[in-house]
Amino acid sequence: EGEAGGKSKRPKVGRMERKVKINAPLSRVFRVCSDYEHYGDWTGNGIKKCIIKEKRHGFQHILYTTGVFGLTFDFALYWSTAVQNKITFRNPSPMGAVHLLKGEYTFRDLGDGGCSVHFQIVADIRGPIPHFVKIAIARLIVHIALDDLNTYVCSDRCVENLKKYDREAGGGGGGPQK
């Protein structure tokens, strides 16, 4: 309870995390996760617009418009691959209802042609959005980040898309360091 018996205005920061085993090579999984331009290949139609504002080795600044459950969110994320076998993201500042959004993917080679992927997200979404909707959004993000990723990287469609992107770029794709 806040002052004068009213409800506290302190924001609820939510955190979710999960880990999965993926039966695909670490290099492929890392490449798909760090290829922000092609996230639509596996993330469904939640990302309505994605504009890359800045791109340099190990860093990208991307503006997003996303939509889910009839809600639309505009926000920016900084993505980093500066740490070996890890991709981190965070919003540089509050934008619209998204006051805080940060997280990371952590990858581990299992030595059997597969890898484990740990994903965590921390968010503070404000505005007239019921708490149960915020929880549903967070669960959906984690599902996409791991389950949809797993389905895609183990598919022939993924392998064909990566070959196509290599041809278009005139070379090979990047991957994590071992």
Side-chain angles (χ1 to χ4, degrees):
E1 299 260 340
E3 291 180 25
K7 286 189 174 183
S8 173
K9 295 290 183 186
R10 203 162 120 203
K12 289 185 179 179
V13 175
R15 176 190 170 120
M16 285 197 160
E17 63 183 298
R18 207 171 97 214
K19 183 177 174 179
V20 296
K21 180 184 185 302
I22 296 181
N23 292 316
L26 173 61
S27 58
R28 181 187 313 157
V29 177
F30 186 91
R31 179 175 175 193
V32 167
C33 285
S34 60
D35 183 4
Y36 316 112
E37 292 174 75
H38 296 110
Y39 260 37
D41 289 350
W42 60 277
T43 61
N45 61 4
I47 298 175
K48 307 300 182 197
K49 188 164 49 169
C50 171
I51 300 169
I52 297 174
K53 297 295 285 181
E54 182 181 355
K55 185 176 184 177
R56 61 180 190 262
H57 183 71
F59 173 85
Q60 291 193 40
H61 176 195
I62 303 175
L63 299 179
Y64 292 94
T65 298
T66 62
V68 63
F69 305 133
L71 301 168
T72 301
F73 300 96
D74 293 304
F75 57 94
L77 288 179
Y78 289 163
W79 289 87
S80 173
T81 56
V83 176
Q84 182 175 322
N85 293 340
K86 184 179 280 195
I87 298 172
T88 60
F89 59 90
R90 70 174 175 84
N91 63 324
S93 61
M95 190 172 174
V98 181
H99 282 249
L100 171 68
L101 184 61
K102 67 179 182 176
E104 66 183 37
Y105 282 96
T106 306
F107 307 88
R108 190 168 62 87
D109 191 337
L110 298 176
D112 60 358
C115 63
S116 69
V117 180
H118 178 260
F119 179 79
Q120 68 178 1
I121 186 167
V122 177
D124 176 10
I125 310 297
R126 298 189 186 172
I129 303 166
H131 185 67
F132 76 91
V133 173
K134 293 177 186 180
I135 297 298
I137 291 170
R139 287 183 178 149
L140 179 61
I141 291 169
V142 172
H143 174 84
I144 292 167
L146 293 175
D147 298 330
D148 291 353
L149 170 68
N150 190 359
T151 299
Y152 178 66
V153 298
C154 293
S155 72
D156 292 337
R157 185 170 62 95
C158 175
V159 173
E160 291 305 313
N161 282 346
L162 294 177
K163 287 178 185 175
K164 180 178 87 173
Y165 303 147
D166 286 347
R167 285 190 304 271
E168 290 170 355
Q177 300 167 330
K178 285 198 174 186

